[in-house]
Amino acid sequence: MEFTMKTGDLATQKTPCLILGVFEKQPLAGPAEAVDIASGGRLSELWKKGDLDGEAGRTLMLYDLPGLAAERVLLIDFGKPQECNRTNYRKTLAAAVATLQQTQAGEAVLALPATLPAGMDLYAAIRDAVMTAEDRVYRYTRTREDKKAPKTPLGQLTLWVPSEPDLAIAEHAIQHGAAMAAGVNLARELGNLPGNLCTPTYLADQAVDLASRYDALKVEVLDEAAMAELKMGALLSVSRGSRQPAKLIVMEYRGGATDAKPIVLVGKGLTFDAGGISIKPAAEMDEMKYDMCGGASVIGAMRAVCELGLPIHLVGVVPASENLPDGDANKPGDIVTSMSGQTIEILNTDAEGRLILCDALTYCKRFDPALVIDLATLTGACVVALGKHAAGLFTADDQLAAEIQRAGESVGDRAWRLPLWEDYQQQLDSNFADMANVGGREAGAITAACFLARYTKDYPWAHLDIAGVAWVGGKEKGGTGRPVALLTQLLLERSGVLEP
């Protein structure tokens, strides 16, 4: 999708559709007021007929308004001004895009409302508009014909701003929003692919393809023989049950100083998880194709950074495997030795994500990282705790926790901190190994993070449990591309391009 920006007299903007925001029981203001004056009051006359009832997300399409160059005017209702928050703002913009997709317009000019949502400035409002539009026009078509696809999809959106000085702000917002959306949609598409297509090898191929498009990105893919040489016994124990060979995907982006320590993103890449010998119930097991969304988000974040050309040193590591039952698969009670030399008693083969992550986290030490963040659809317990609204955040570093939470809040991709206290470590005690891979039913998301913490003592580290946010179930089933936006915002701030 193409995004441009304009300023000037809205009445003279030639466009198939001009989008204007209004508020419940409020006089027309800002862009809407200017257009109303140009139309000789016709706009307010139609608006007062009451077809918009003040509910955020309602739309009204108007045709042939006098005094305007626009073919159509789409009024979008942001509801009560005092309730105009980011959620209602995005909901209303999404409704506008959905309405446009039902017309033959194909392109539009969006004039933001005179009153922006609480806590949002012009930059954030434009960036959110770009990301919301991209989200709504995304369609999954890889393995089916989309019979509901619009005949004239929205292909261009122009963001109108009030004055010339605002154009520079709009330019940055569009650039950042489009890059975030590209990364989100890549992660989303990878997550939506079925497990028979999106295998560990396929994930590796996508990383290699990405590197072929950006000179600053280099990719190395380690096969099982290379991982065996590194003594990645935990990771390889998971892949033994599958006919698909495991891969360790290593992506390195160099856009900053040559001596800069890298930020490392580690993403769980379980391209299908049946639970192994501790097999999952059949109901909704199809959703376990999404168990690679951590890895997909790392690849998506790498794309966003490449698109932006950030002055930063960034490494992405994706351990990729399947977890299936087989005669050679892990058995409950088995003990494996991780790359760190620590032994692990496998009490539940369905707690395999931490097994592939722990070796990847040990591997990260070779980069002498400034920071490591792992992200994984790790536990159902995190879904129970936080639902679909926030990722679970775990770190012992208060400053880092605040930084990640602030980045998530600023881009509407939130995380919420949960404890990582030493008290929980005893739940991982084992009579036969250095640790068990599960800590019982209580505090499952926390003990999973405590397990990973044992492999991250040599560098600053945070863990994001994204099991609740990486996909949605039900009628709208599909990947979300979260938390690519959060990661990209964090990297924008860390690179100095954006002030935190």
Side-chain angles (χ1 to χ4, degrees):
M1 191 170 172
E2 182 181 355
F3 296 93
T4 58
M5 55 195 170
K6 279 186 179 180
T7 189
D9 186 358
L10 277 173
T12 62
Q13 300 286 342
K14 292 183 178 181
T15 176
C17 187
L18 174 61
I19 308 171
L20 300 170
V22 297
F23 294 93
E24 180 189 19
K25 298 179 181 178
Q26 297 291 313
L28 296 179
E33 181 184 21
V35 170
D36 184 46
I37 293 171
S39 69
R42 180 61 175 160
L43 179 62
S44 57
E45 180 183 332
L46 293 170
W47 177 57
K48 289 176 182 177
K49 291 184 181 296
D51 289 345
L52 292 181
D53 58 6
E55 180 183 348
R58 295 291 297 272
T59 64
L60 177 65
M61 185 70 79
L62 305 173
Y63 294 86
D64 300 325
L65 262 68
L68 303 183
E71 298 172 18
R72 307 167 178 82
V73 171
L74 177 61
L75 291 185
I76 55 177
D77 197 334
F78 287 99
K80 296 179 174 66
Q82 64 272 24
E83 295 177 2
C84 186
N85 54 28
R86 173 175 247 143
T87 299
N88 284 341
Y89 177 71
R90 287 182 167 182
K91 174 184 175 181
T92 301
L93 292 179
V97 174
T99 300
L100 282 169
Q101 296 271 75
Q102 298 172 13
T103 72
Q104 301 296 315
E107 59 183 83
V109 173
L110 169 63
L112 299 178
T115 302
L116 295 177
M120 294 182 74
D121 57 14
L122 182 63
Y123 166 85
I126 292 176
R127 185 189 59 193
D128 272 29
V130 169
M131 295 182 68
T132 300
E134 284 281 17
D135 176 73
R136 294 304 300 173
V137 300
Y138 169 84
R139 318 287 294 192
Y140 176 77
T141 59
R142 176 69 181 273
T143 54
R144 67 161 191 170
E145 179 186 356
D146 187 357
K147 296 180 180 179
K148 295 182 180 180
K151 293 181 180 179
T152 307
L154 183 63
Q156 180 174 328
L157 183 64
T158 297
L159 285 303
W160 180 88
V161 293
S163 65
E164 291 282 345
D166 293 330
L167 290 173
I169 297 172
E171 182 179 12
H172 282 102
I174 289 171
Q175 181 189 25
H176 298 169
M180 286 182 184
V184 166
N185 282 346
L186 174 57
R188 193 175 178 184
E189 182 73 8
L190 290 172
N192 285 337
L193 291 173
N196 61 321
L197 293 182
C198 187
T199 63
T201 299
Y202 182 89
L203 267 188
D205 289 344
Q206 301 315 296
V208 171
D209 178 66
L210 194 64
S212 71
R213 288 182 271 156
Y214 301 98
D215 292 338
L217 182 63
K218 307 298 179 188
V219 170
E220 180 183 11
V221 179
L222 279 65
D223 60 16
E224 290 189 340
M227 286 185 273
E229 284 190 18
L230 292 169
K231 299 183 178 181
M232 291 185 166
L235 194 162
L236 291 174
S237 75
V238 176
S239 69
R240 285 205 318 265
S242 170
R243 296 183 184 181
Q244 293 290 338
K247 304 290 182 183
L248 186 70
I249 306 162
V250 183
M251 300 165 281
E252 186 167 14
Y253 168 86
R254 285 189 173 272
T258 55
D259 60 346
K261 289 187 175 185
I263 295 172
V264 182
L265 305 178
V266 181
K268 173 185 171 185
L270 253 294
T271 56
F272 191 80
D273 177 22
I277 298 299
S278 307
I279 196 164
K280 294 177 180 289
E284 299 179 346
M285 193 196 288
D286 64 289
E287 293 191 4
M288 288 300 98
K289 70 178 185 176
Y290 296 115
D291 214 13
M292 39 61 69
C293 283
S297 291
V298 169
I299 296 172
M302 297 298 293
R303 176 172 181 180
V305 168
C306 289
E307 289 275 342
L308 293 169
L310 293 186
I312 199 170
H313 185 188
L314 180 67
V315 174
V317 178
V318 179
S321 176
E322 289 182 333
N323 184 33
L324 297 173
D326 178 79
D328 196 33
N330 280 329
K331 305 178 296 295
D334 283 359
I335 295 175
V336 299
T337 303
S338 66
M339 183 182 176
S340 70
Q342 298 176 91
T343 57
I344 306 164
E345 182 182 14
I346 300 172
L347 298 181
N348 187 333
T349 68
D350 193 24
E352 82 301 321
R354 64 202 72 182
L355 297 179
I356 70 172
L357 284 171
C358 72
D359 279 347
L361 290 167
T362 300
Y363 182 83
C364 289
K365 289 196 294 185
R366 66 187 51 216
F367 299 108
D368 188 22
L371 169 65
V372 175
I373 300 174
D374 79 74
L375 41 150
T377 49
L378 204 60
T379 67
C382 195
V383 184
V384 173
L386 298 176
K388 64 181 181 179
H389 301 292
L393 168 61
F394 301 84
T395 181
D397 186 327
D398 293 343
Q399 184 175 343
L400 177 59
E403 184 181 5
I404 292 172
Q405 285 187 286
R406 184 178 61 245
E409 288 286 347
S410 67
V411 79
D413 188 359
R414 292 184 289 186
W416 189 257
R417 192 181 187 187
L418 294 169
L420 193 64
W421 301 331
E422 191 66 25
D423 311 53
Y424 292 100
Q425 287 286 355
Q426 62 185 331
Q427 291 180 232
L428 297 171
D429 288 349
S430 165
N431 292 336
F432 305 105
D434 293 324
M435 71 196 79
N437 75 324
V438 291
R441 290 179 56 84
E442 295 180 354
I446 297 172
T447 55
C450 286
F451 179 96
L452 297 178
R454 298 187 180 203
Y455 299 85
T456 61
K457 295 179 179 179
D458 296 319
Y459 46 70
W461 164 77
H463 161 61
L464 288 171
D465 191 328
I466 62 171
V469 302
W471 77 86
V472 293
K475 185 178 179 181
E476 300 297 323
K477 182 185 293 185
T480 65
R482 293 180 65 185
V484 170
L486 182 159
L487 295 172
T488 307
Q489 176 70 17
L490 181 68
L491 295 169
L492 277 162
E493 294 175 4
R494 281 262 173 160
S495 68
V497 171
L498 277 182
E499 288 292 329

